[in-house]
Amino acid sequence: MLETSARLLRMLTLLQAHRDWSGADLAGRLGVSPRTVRRDVDKLRLLGYPIDAIGGVGGGYRLGAGAALPPLLLDDEEAVAVAVGLRTAAAGAVTGIAETSVRALAKLDQVLPARLRHQVGTLSSAVVTMPMLGPTIDPAVLTAIAAAVRDRQRLRFDYTPAEGAAGVRDVEPYRLVQSGRRWYLVGWDTGRSDWRTFRVDRIALRVPGGPRFAPRPLPAEDLAAYVALGVTTHQYRYQAVLTMHGPAQAVADEVPPTIGVVEPIDAHTCTLRIGSDSLDQLAVWVAAFGFEFEIREPPELVAHLRTLTARLQRAVGVAVGGFRGRASCEARQA
């Protein structure tokens, strides 16, 4: 059985790891009786930790929100991850994150053991983060959406799409997905009775939100891949599927994740899914990636590449003829 101080720290760690715990589950994890759990909860409350009682069979506990954050218990790997994340957050897409990250990092540095402080400092001094341009996101919006995802509460917001008029959406939120600088919300649009992906920087939340909802099966197991296909391919008029003659990693190094999705086939080939509203743009992209390729879809792209190839050959022929003519004229003048 753990000593009282060690047991209190262990209980606090468990309460921080999960939202709700039954008294029986806590007693089982700590190897004590439910009565001891109740006494330990009272001791933590006296120390300033806001622990709420929850109803149900046998009762339970939840670490609540207090006037000030209680001390967090982090192991070595967690502490390093938090410190490195704070140091790189200044170049992120969240408004005002630079200043708050520096303040939080200053507090964390004060309590890091010397060996961990040296490890974090060594890594940070070797890394330079390039600043990103573009719209930023109010952290309060991300927090509100994340809370709605956690609590299964519908959101109401004004949404401004890339094209078309802004409108009010009523959405069951399921996940926030980050891709580089962009944040996306995956949710069930109740007005359209379908899954939709929304860019968070185009969302203006309305208060109050909607009622709680019963969760639906997600549209895909890999939501990151689902969002990637949605923003790079499915939203466009032309959706190309190509077999690229190159390793998936090599092709992915040439194709930005905001343009296409790469899926390995074997060690030497991969599938590239890419979309555009312009066949000209698609043709130029696939020709410029630097790999041999085969077009599987759509047939219009094959015909367009033939037309574009003929156009380029004519341009090359005219240019070569012009070069030869000028060279011949210069030779006669000499």
Side-chain angles (χ1 to χ4, degrees), residues 243-312:
T243 297
M244 308 296 290
H245 291 271
Q249 186 58 59
V251 174
D253 289 342
E254 298 295 326
V255 181
T258 55
I259 291 181
V261 175
V262 179
E263 303 166 355
I265 297 176
D266 53 38
H268 306 289
T269 58
C270 60
T271 296
L272 172 62
R273 301 181 186 274
I274 188 171
S276 176
D277 290 328
S278 166
L279 284 174
D280 276 328
Q281 189 176 59
L282 269 181
V284 170
W285 275 347
V286 300
F289 288 145
F291 297 91
E292 297 291 327
F293 63 91
E294 299 164 11
I295 299 173
R296 286 148 53 185
E297 300 175 21
E300 301 98 312
L301 182 57
V302 177
H304 201 76
L305 271 175
R306 289 196 183 101
T307 302
L308 180 60
T309 300
R311 187 188 310 159
L312 293 174

Side-chain angles (χ1 to χ4, degrees), residues 30-324:
L30 298 170
V32 297
S33 67
R35 182 179 179 182
T36 299
V37 168
R38 290 194 294 271
R39 288 202 303 263
D40 287 349
V41 167
D42 289 338
K43 292 175 183 176
L44 287 174
R45 286 169 174 164
L46 289 175
L47 292 172
Y49 292 93
I51 300 177
D52 301 330
I54 56 177
V57 179
Y61 303 96
R62 172 188 303 157
L63 189 62
L69 284 173
L72 294 174
L73 298 177
L74 301 175
D75 61 27
D76 286 2
E77 293 181 353
E78 291 170 340
V80 171
V82 170
V84 172
L86 289 171
R87 286 183 184 271
T88 57
V94 182
T95 306
I97 200 68
E99 180 183 352
T100 52
S101 297
V102 170
R103 292 202 306 267
L105 182 59
K107 296 177 181 178
L108 183 59
D109 277 344
Q110 291 177 355
V111 297
L112 279 178
R115 57 187 172 79
L116 294 184
R117 190 181 301 114
H118 176 72
Q119 182 179 346
V120 172
T122 299
L123 179 59
S124 299
S125 64
V127 175
V128 177
T129 303
M130 296 181 64
M132 300 181 182
L133 303 177
T136 58
I137 300 168
D138 186 338
V141 173
L142 281 178
T143 302
I145 294 176
V149 171
R150 178 198 63 201
D151 298 335
R152 297 174 182 171
Q153 184 174 11
R154 277 177 21 197
L155 288 172
R156 296 175 62 248
F157 53 82
D158 296 288
Y159 189 70
T160 306
E163 297 180 359
V168 180
R169 302 295 184 94
D170 188 299
V171 173
E172 298 175 0
Y174 283 83
R175 294 291 187 276
L176 279 167
V177 178
Q178 183 186 13
S179 175
R181 185 171 182 80
R182 297 276 184 247
W183 288 83
Y184 299 94
L185 168 64
V186 178
W188 177 266
D189 191 322
T190 62
R192 292 157 177 77
S193 298
D194 199 3
W195 292 97
R196 290 290 189 271
T197 300
F198 304 94
R199 266 181 50 175
V200 177
D201 59 286
R202 294 173 176 168
I203 288 176
L205 293 177
R206 290 191 171 208
V207 178
R212 291 172 65 88
F213 61 88
R216 306 170 187 270
L218 293 173
E221 292 186 6
D222 188 345
L223 279 184
Y226 173 83
V227 171
L229 282 173
V231 301
T232 63
T233 306
H234 291 167
Q235 64 175 319
Y236 294 108
R237 177 182 178 185
Y238 300 106
Q239 301 173 18
V241 181
L242 314 171
T243 297
M244 308 296 290
H245 291 271
Q249 186 58 59
V251 174
D253 289 342
E254 298 295 326
V255 181
T258 55
I259 291 181
V261 175
V262 179
E263 303 166 355
I265 297 176
D266 53 38
H268 306 289
T269 58
C270 60
T271 296
L272 172 62
R273 301 181 186 274
I274 188 171
S276 176
D277 290 328
S278 166
L279 284 174
D280 276 328
Q281 189 176 59
L282 269 181
V284 170
W285 275 347
V286 300
F289 288 145
F291 297 91
E292 297 291 327
F293 63 91
E294 299 164 11
I295 299 173
R296 286 148 53 185
E297 300 175 21
E300 301 98 312
L301 182 57
V302 177
H304 201 76
L305 271 175
R306 289 196 183 101
T307 302
L308 180 60
T309 300
R311 187 188 310 159
L312 293 174
Q313 287 175 338
R314 289 193 297 272
V316 170
V318 171
V320 171
F323 293 150
R324 289 175 178 172

